[in-house]
Amino acid sequence: MDTAATLPPPADERVAALRGFNRFYTRRIGVLHERLLGTGFGLAESRVLWELAHLDAGSPGISAAALARELDLDPGYLSRLLKGMKSRKLLRTQGADADARQQLLSLTAAGRRAFAPLDTRSQAQMGELLAALPEAEQRRLLQSMQTIEALLGERPVDRPPYLLRAHRPGDIGWVIARHGAIYADEYHWDLRFEALVARIAAQFVERFDARREACWIAERPLALGQGENLGCVFLVQARRDDIGEVEPGVAQLRLLLVEPSARGMGVGARLVAECERFARQAGYQRIRLWTQSNLLAARAIYAKAGYQLTGTEPHHSFGQDLVAEVWERALG
């Protein structure tokens, strides 16, 4: 069973929720105040001070154009900002060694003295926010922030923003819970589907043979040694449903799932490809899977990977009228 349906475009309520979060967070950390953290600097000036204070050791400075790109500020606005900071003797400029016409910015001694209390107060403010939360909630907060940064930040084009790993303690419970929640939300399937997933997962654990069976978890790495699960798939020895007898040479792909937040990243296709790679290595002759006709995105993944539809059967399960499908992929 699987789900990889494409999310609809962001609805008005989602946009409103994101805007509401922005208002909450900017108010919570005080960036709307004219003078940040009780200093004589606004938010933009504070960011300029921070960037210049954290230049690499021995760096002669940074050009105004590079600083504008780093802060994503309008060059004209930044120029006016820098002019005011220079008049307060917080900044100095010097010609670059390679091109004296290019002026590099750096902090003066006065600029570093001005930045010190701003940095100290910011550190204290963030420490107070964290100290108000228990350890588990601190970790949850930091992981959530890292998730936001990963989703909204620039993504590397040379590698996927996730890895595949083997299952470990806690993953099987996650597989069951997320299948139940996602299918209930997107397809209105009832608790009997979650019970089926629980039985399949339990059988996997009880019968697990690492030479011929595997589970992969797609995970987005986060800091603090943690990760966010994005999807999963199982490859097991196929068995006859009626008597549980092994079908020699046949593997079964089961429980493919992709989190809604990870769709469009190629997670589902990569999980299916990993199943094929493992099955060939383990000596299987073909892979079989069971799915439903309404799981369109997953069916598209199977078709693209070379699976063929071999049988259909209408049935009423999980509180819905469904059409079951069997797909197979010969491994040659």
Side-chain angles (χ1 to χ4, degrees):
M1 195 65 64
D2 41 59
T3 180
T6 303
L7 277 176
D12 290 345
E13 56 267 24
R14 294 179 183 173
V15 173
L18 186 58
R19 294 179 66 189
F21 172 79
N22 288 341
R23 292 193 299 272
F24 159 77
Y25 190 64
T26 52
R27 182 178 67 252
R28 187 68 179 86
I29 63 175
V31 299
L32 299 179
H33 298 165
E34 185 177 358
R35 292 293 176 252
L36 196 64
L37 296 171
T39 67
F41 304 105
L43 178 60
E45 292 173 312
S46 300
R47 280 302 312 275
V48 169
L49 289 173
W50 194 96
E51 292 294 337
L52 296 180
H54 288 83
L55 291 173
D56 293 338
S59 170
I62 184 173
S63 69
L67 187 60
R69 289 193 299 270
E70 181 67 26
L71 297 178
D72 194 21
L73 288 177
D74 174 74
Y77 170 72
L78 179 61
S79 177
R80 294 190 295 272
L81 195 71
L82 295 176
K83 183 177 180 180
M85 297 177 74
K86 289 177 184 176
S87 68
R88 297 162 67 181
K89 303 189 184 306
L90 301 175
L91 309 180
R92 65 165 169 258
T93 58
Q94 65 182 56
D97 291 340
D99 184 356
R101 295 171 299 176
Q102 184 182 40
Q103 297 296 299
L104 301 180
L105 299 163
S106 60
L107 291 180
T108 62
R112 294 192 175 277
R113 287 195 300 271
F115 173 71
L118 177 66
D119 192 39
T120 300
R121 292 174 193 177
S122 178
Q123 184 83 4
Q125 182 194 43
M126 295 300 106
E128 290 172 2
L129 288 176
L130 288 171
L133 301 174
E135 174 65 21
E137 293 185 7
Q138 289 188 28
R139 296 177 70 89
R140 181 183 174 192
L141 173 66
L142 294 174
Q143 291 168 16
S144 297
M145 293 171 66
Q146 290 153 1
T147 298
I148 292 173
E149 185 175 357
L151 290 174
L152 298 184
E154 295 183 3
R155 299 183 182 182
V157 297
D158 58 338
R159 63 182 176 87
Y162 60 88
L163 55 84
L164 299 188
R165 61 169 177 80
H167 64 290
R168 60 191 181 207
D171 286 328
I172 300 302
W174 173 83
V175 168
I176 297 168
R178 293 308 293 152
H179 269 84
I182 290 174
Y183 278 89
D185 180 56
E186 298 185 358
Y187 301 103
H188 308 294
W189 292 7
D190 62 27
L191 285 171
R192 285 171 288 188
F193 174 66
E194 190 169 348
L196 172 64
V197 175
R199 288 194 296 272
I200 293 171
Q203 290 172 355
F204 171 78
V205 174
E206 292 165 356
R207 298 170 174 172
F208 181 57
D209 179 355
R211 297 169 301 175
R212 301 185 61 75
E213 299 180 317
C215 167
W216 292 272
I217 302 293
E219 178 185 85
R220 176 187 289 120
L222 300 175
L224 306 173
Q226 300 296 310
E228 176 190 10
N229 290 350
L230 302 180
C232 65
V233 74
F234 291 67
L235 189 82
V236 300
Q237 169 67 63
R239 298 171 182 267
R240 288 182 53 182
D241 291 336
D242 51 354
I243 58 176
E245 183 177 321
V246 167
E247 295 189 55
V250 183
Q252 186 167 3
L253 186 155
R254 313 201 78 168
L255 302 181
L256 174 66
L257 181 105
V258 177
E259 282 284 350
S261 64
R263 292 170 188 167
M265 297 166 56
V267 175
R270 188 173 174 209
L271 287 167
V272 169
E274 193 66 16
C275 287
E276 180 183 339
R277 182 201 62 78
F278 180 90
R280 289 183 182 279
Q281 184 177 348
Y284 288 107
Q285 278 78 57
R286 67 181 190 271
I287 305 175
R288 178 186 301 147
L289 64 90
W290 182 70
T291 188
Q292 307 300 320
S293 62
N294 62 326
L295 304 182
L296 302 181
R299 293 171 80 256
I301 291 174
Y302 300 141
K304 188 173 182 180
Y307 286 79
Q308 301 290 324
L309 178 62
T310 61
T312 63
E313 181 182 2
H315 64 110
H316 184 86
S317 301
F318 324 129
Q320 303 292 327
D321 290 322
L322 303 169
V323 178
E325 296 182 342
V326 176
W327 291 64
E328 292 195 3
R329 169 77 160 91
L331 301 180

